[in-house]
Amino acid sequence: MEAGELLAILVGLLLLQVGGFALFGLWRRRRQGGDGVAGSQARASVAHGPSATIQPNDDDGAPPGWSGLRDFVVQRKVHESADRSICSFYLAPVDGGLLPRFRPGQFLTFTLDVPRRDRGGTEPLTRCYSLSDAPGRDAYRVSIKRAPAPPDRPELPPGRGSGHFHDRIEAGDRLAVRAPAGRFFLQQEGDTPVVLIAGGIGITPMLSMLGWLLERDDKREVRLFYGVRNGAEVAMGAQLRQWARDHGRFHLHRCFSAPAPEDRLGEDFDHAGRVDLALLRNTLPLRRQQFYLCGPPPMMESLVPGLESWGVEPEDIRYEAFGPASIQRATPAGVDAETPPPLITFSDSDRAIPWDPAAGSLLEFAEANGVEVTSGCRAGSCGGCQTRLRAGRVAYAHPPDFEPEPGHCLLCISSPQGAITLEA
Ligand SMILES: Cc1cc2nc3c(=O)[nH]c(=O)nc-3n(C[C@H](O)[C@H](O)[C@H](O)COP(=O)(O)OP(=O)(O)OC[C@H]3O[C@@H](n4cnc5c(N)ncnc54)[C@H](O)[C@@H]3O)c2cc1C
Ligand code: FES
């Protein structure tokens, strides 16, 4: 071979390699959220505990999830609590296709068509609801609690999404649904005993985990601490009692903070009071166990740090809050307290506010400052908080499950990388 030919081949190979690296770089940037989103930063997620990086449907040969919205029909609507505040909806795909499996603990995202509050007509509303049944059934099930006005603000309107489900959705109705998602799910391998802690409607992901753990040949010991006010609020009480009777390795602890006169200790409930650290310490054997928590923000804010202070390793504590919660807030790595905070401009609201790293995410920062933003999962999975980023860059706490449109970012998992302008 001539020296010239050899040189040409070498140069060609070099160009191929450079091109390959460039394409790989572009692909990685796109995976990390497109324009304006810097590489994912490692920092504590606000509403979610340590999460696995495995994607759903990657190990069971089941059909993968779908992208975008898919139409489902409501097969059945079932009341699940004596006070009729919780309703289950069984959902089957309208296209008759296969139902992708999911990981116990994951949720569905709904785009609802709800009546406008002040004007006529309807508008879309994004809401997330945990799958409350074990994977592998013929239909998905979600169980939804009606959200009344807060007790101290009775003049406020009740919850829109949950009210829509309870008052307007019936068997035969159609719903637009995104594929199962979420990072709060049961670790399906291993033999470490499992402790599930649920407050109120936080029972829904636990029901899915329990169904999966108890209806298969899994040897793990499982405890459920379920906190409600009284017997009228218990969801699927008969199912829980049946599981406790049928499975010696399942221990049920129903905790009533305000038992009704007809609630009998030892029959209808097992502990008077809330689920707190003292109860866990008095009840649980001293050994390694994996904790899964889901409940109202105050419960999560006390129990998650409480378990850590008791000596439970952070990787053995997984949690999900169904609303804003401030758990384990830490100043993100790389933030220098001496540097003046960058300015966050909300262009639609005509406001510019210095960033507060203690806020957690840009979503919480906007909410704390009265800027109107929408949200759903608060975990980068549903796209509910997608917002146009008009200038600057943000970083994600972890790679999102939802791919935002170019030029947009997901506020719930974003923190600013310098001054930014958001269309909000
Ligand atoms: C991952 C995930 C999973 C979830 N799983 C479940 C589940 O399995 N089951 C379930 O029931 N829920 C679940 N949720 C919660 C659910 O998504 C909704 O947040 C819940 O149903 C309330 O939504 P809403 O539209 O009914 O209430 P919203 O309309 O969002 O109102 C919420 C509350 O705010 C009050 N409010 C109204 N206006 C104002 C105002 N101006 N100022 C202050 N307060 C006001 C309302 O009265 C109500 O109490 C989950 C949430 C997440 C993020
Ligand atoms: S609220 Fe769901 S992606 Fe941000």
Side-chain angles (χ1 to χ4, degrees):
M1 188 184 295
E2 295 283 320
E5 281 174 347
L6 187 64
L7 190 66
I9 289 172
L10 282 175
V11 169
L13 283 173
L14 195 69
L15 284 174
L16 264 177
Q17 198 179 18
V18 169
F21 275 126
L23 279 175
F24 179 68
L26 267 176
W27 175 81
R28 271 190 24 163
R29 234 184 116 203
R30 181 128 192 89
R31 292 273 305 153
Q32 285 166 355
D35 302 341
V37 181
S40 70
Q41 276 188 335
R43 72 170 171 82
S45 159
V46 173
H48 290 249
S51 55
T53 49
I54 1 174
Q55 292 298 308
N57 306 318
D58 59 359
D59 62 348
D60 49 17
W66 60 95
S67 70
L69 293 166
R70 185 177 177 192
D71 274 347
F72 277 69
V73 64
V74 177
Q75 288 185 324
R76 283 194 293 147
K77 179 178 177 181
V78 181
H79 285 281
E80 303 285 12
S81 59
D83 66 2
R84 296 175 72 83
S85 66
I86 301 169
C87 220
S88 283
F89 297 82
Y90 290 79
L91 310 168
V94 169
D95 58 25
L98 290 169
L99 208 53
R101 286 175 74 88
F102 58 92
R103 293 191 185 280
Q106 292 193 305
F107 59 85
L108 295 177
T109 301
F110 295 82
T111 299
L112 305 168
D113 204 20
V114 298
R116 283 181 197 274
R117 274 222 162 113
D118 307 324
R119 296 162 275 162
T122 59
E123 63 184 351
L125 183 75
T126 301
R127 287 291 179 267
C128 303
Y129 293 100
S130 302
L131 287 144
S132 64
D133 213 347
R137 308 270 198 258
D138 292 341
Y140 287 149
R141 184 182 72 188
V142 290
S143 305
I144 298 174
K145 186 174 172 67
R146 191 190 274 283
D152 55 336
R153 306 275 313 271
E155 75 283 5
L156 288 174
R160 295 179 84 188
S162 56
H164 181 75
F165 268 98
H166 275 254
D167 299 334
R168 293 185 207 93
I169 301 296
E170 300 295 340
D173 285 343
R174 290 185 176 201
L175 291 164
V177 187
R178 283 192 190 281
R183 293 160 176 273
F184 175 69
F185 53 74
L186 182 76
Q187 204 168 324
Q188 286 164 282
E189 307 300 326
D191 52 11
T192 310
V194 171
V195 181
L196 308 175
I197 302 175
I201 194 61
I203 190 69
T204 50
M206 308 307 178
L207 289 166
S208 179
M209 295 184 194
L210 276 171
W212 190 88
L213 280 162
L214 298 177
E215 292 170 13
R216 67 198 294 279
D217 189 23
D218 190 293
K219 301 279 180 288
R220 275 180 275 185
E221 198 174 314
V222 191
R223 284 172 194 273
L224 170 68
F225 292 85
Y226 179 19
V228 286
R229 265 179 302 195
N230 54 49
E233 291 187 355
V234 172
M236 295 178 214
Q239 169 74 86
L240 291 172
R241 286 195 301 277
Q242 187 65 44
W243 274 332
R245 274 195 297 272
D246 292 350
H247 302 276
R249 64 191 173 91
F250 172 48
H251 309 280
L252 175 61
H253 304 271
R254 292 156 301 174
C255 307
F256 287 8
S257 60
E262 62 273 21
D263 292 331
R264 293 154 302 165
L265 184 63
E267 292 276 330
D268 303 305
F269 67 110
D270 311 290
H271 306 279
R274 294 178 193 281
V275 185
D276 57 17
L277 193 61
L279 174 67
L280 299 177
R281 292 180 73 143
N282 289 335
T283 320
L284 291 172
L286 268 180
R287 62 180 175 196
R288 184 176 172 216
Q289 34 214 336
Q290 279 167 344
F291 290 83
Y292 296 85
L293 299 91
C294 185
M299 174 178 156
M300 313 291 290
E301 284 160 9
S302 78
L303 278 184
V304 172
L307 286 171
E308 282 185 356
S309 69
W310 187 28
V312 181
E313 292 296 330
E315 67 265 25
D316 284 335
I317 307 174
R318 290 161 186 244
Y319 53 87
E320 180 159 78
F322 282 176
S326 318
I327 301 161
Q328 292 177 329
R329 291 216 170 135
T331 302
V335 172
D336 178 358
E338 299 295 311
T339 319
L343 212 56
I344 313 300
T345 303
F346 296 100
S347 58
D348 287 359
S349 315
D350 204 13
R351 298 188 55 194
I353 313 163
W355 166 242
D356 174 8
S361 66
L362 278 167
L363 175 66
E364 290 169 286
F365 179 72
E367 287 172 341
N369 286 287
V371 174
E372 203 170 304
V373 280
T374 58
S375 67
C377 66
R378 311 179 76 91
S381 301
C382 73
C385 65
Q386 172 169 262
T387 302
R388 182 178 288 282
L389 181 60
R390 296 180 75 155
R393 290 173 73 74
V394 299
Y396 283 160
H398 57 76
D401 300 320
F402 180 92
E403 175 96 358
E405 287 167 33
H408 291 67
C409 67
L410 301 177
L411 295 185
C412 65
I413 54 168
S414 291
S415 56
Q417 301 288 286
I420 60 168
T421 302
L422 292 165
E423 203 171 277

